[in-house]
Each structure stands twice: as structure tokens, then as C-alpha cells.
Amino acid sequence: MNITALVGLGLVAAVLSVILRQYNREFGFYIPLAAGIIILGAVIAAVRPILDTVNNLMTAINMNNIYGQTLLKGLAVCYLTQLAVDACKDAGELAIANKLELAGKIAIVVLSLPLFNNLITLITGLII
């Protein structure tokens, strides 16, 4: 991942968006959306080695894989939700953005339910 190219793409897209928004509001929305998708694709490609490293570390320390998977899924939900919320805010759809934010928070809670279950089981095992 070349961060310089991604930053340059972001800046060019922002300037083009501001300029084109004066002439046609739709183009001012599509350019940042396209740039966001390209940047997200580059970031996803760069994340693969990180996922492999975390998986190897979890295996090396004999830790239950559910914890690492839950952490990574939670991070993915956070980033994707934030991307969608920002796109909705850029389009002027604040109500949809707020609903997406709530949905992301609920998704994190649902993802963490197995961890809460393990924690409660551990606590009850220590007490009894």
C-alpha cells in the first residue's frame, strides 16, 4: 500500500468534488464515493498480512481463536460502518447515517455475545 498515492488520490478527489459540485451536485457525490471505494480496496489488500500475523500469534500462544476473530470482525464492522456513514453524510442524508451508526453499534454487540457468554461461564465457574 502506497500511502502517498492514496493521500494524493484523496486530495485530488476532494478538489474535483468541490469544483464539480458547483456545476452538478451529483458529480460532487460520485467522485468521493469512487475514491473511497478505491482507497478501501487498497486498504483491504494491505490488511491481509495483518490478519495472517494475528492468526499466527493467536495460534502460537494457544489462545482460543474466537477472541481474535471477534476482534477483527468488530474492527471490520467499525470501519465499514464509518465509511457508509461518511458517504451518507456527504450526500446530505443525516437520518440514514444515524441509522447506519446505530446498526453498526448493534452489530458489535451481536458479535460480542459469544465473548459475554464465555465471560459469564468463567465467572460462574469461579464463584461456584
Side-chain angles (χ1 to χ4, degrees):
M1 178 173 77
N2 185 355
I3 191 67
T4 308
L6 292 179
V7 169
L9 173 67
L11 291 174
V12 168
V15 169
L16 282 175
S17 175
V18 169
I19 292 171
L20 289 177
R21 194 172 286 149
Q22 295 171 355
Y23 301 106
N24 190 343
R25 182 168 160 74
E26 292 176 5
F27 288 125
F29 171 70
Y30 291 128
I31 289 178
L33 184 63
I37 291 170
I38 292 169
I39 291 170
L40 182 64
V43 169
I44 288 173
V47 166
R48 189 70 188 156
I50 296 169
L51 296 177
D52 292 338
T53 302
V54 169
N55 192 25
N56 291 339
L57 289 173
M58 298 294 269
T59 304
I61 62 174
N62 293 327
M63 188 175 210
N64 191 350
N65 223 7
I66 192 170
Y67 301 115
Q69 288 176 352
T70 303
L71 173 69
L72 294 175
K73 286 178 185 178
L75 286 172
V77 167
C78 289
Y79 286 128
L80 290 175
T81 302
Q82 188 64 46
L83 178 71
V85 167
D86 289 343
C88 288
K89 285 181 179 178
D90 287 344
E93 298 294 336
L94 295 178
I96 295 173
N98 290 334
K99 305 301 185 287
L100 281 174
E101 213 167 12
L102 177 64
K105 291 174 184 177
I106 298 297
I108 294 294
V109 171
V110 169
L111 275 174
S112 62
L113 284 177
L115 296 180
F116 288 133
N117 188 25
N118 288 349
L119 182 63
I120 296 299
T121 304
L122 179 67
I123 290 171
T124 56
L126 291 173
I127 292 174
I128 298 175

